[in-house]
Amino acid sequence: MSKKPELKGRAARLARLFPTGPGPGQAARTPFVLLVVTLLGGGLIGLLVLNSALSEGSFRLDDLKEETKSLTDEEQALQRDVDAYSAPDALQRRARELGMVPGGDPAFLNPDGTVRGVPSPAALQSS
């Protein structure tokens, strides 16, 4: 069997810096490898969860945009109905259907109780 030569001086100090073979340093490597694998696995699972959440948010955003569009269309249709019912000719036609007639000349009361203007009754119009 060959015997290792003994090193002296600077060579001996350098030889102590390098591992000589399997020893206590090898056992400490396993927890480090497990830690790195666990961190990588946790990171990948975290990315998967984040990606799923972003995809879900994207689908929800699309649904909300579609709902907003349909509600905007409904609002515009209702506004058109309100505009049609509040047009002067539509109001006049509806008032006539209810039996209303245009008013006559108005009269106003002054603060002292006197009447300003000549009041006249509304004229009945036949249709």
Side-chain angles (χ1 to χ4, degrees):
M1 293 194 199
S2 68
K3 194 176 181 185
K4 286 188 179 177
E6 282 195 32
L7 302 174
K8 295 183 182 179
R10 184 172 181 201
R13 285 193 306 263
L14 286 174
R16 278 186 274 145
L17 295 176
F18 295 108
T20 57
Q26 293 290 7
R29 181 186 245 176
T30 304
F32 176 73
V33 170
L34 288 176
L35 175 68
V36 168
V37 168
T38 303
L39 288 175
L40 287 175
L44 288 174
I45 290 172
L47 284 175
L48 179 64
V49 168
L50 181 64
N51 191 15
S52 297
L54 289 175
S55 295
E56 181 182 341
S58 176
F59 286 129
R60 177 82 174 126
L61 181 64
D62 288 342
D63 291 343
L64 290 174
K65 282 182 179 178
E66 185 176 321
E67 184 179 352
T68 301
K69 184 180 179 301
S70 68
L71 289 174
T72 301
D73 293 343
E74 183 179 348
E75 178 193 15
Q76 289 175 350
L78 291 173
Q79 188 61 45
R80 280 193 303 271
D81 291 345
V82 167
D83 291 343
Y85 287 129
S86 63
D89 58 337
L91 289 174
Q92 182 182 17
R93 183 178 65 251
R94 183 72 180 132
R96 285 187 196 275
E97 289 172 2
L98 294 174
M100 297 175 145
V101 294
D105 292 330
F108 300 98
L109 289 176
N110 290 326
D112 62 358
T114 59
V115 178
R116 191 173 84 194
V118 179
S120 62
L124 293 175
Q125 297 179 354
S126 58
S127 24

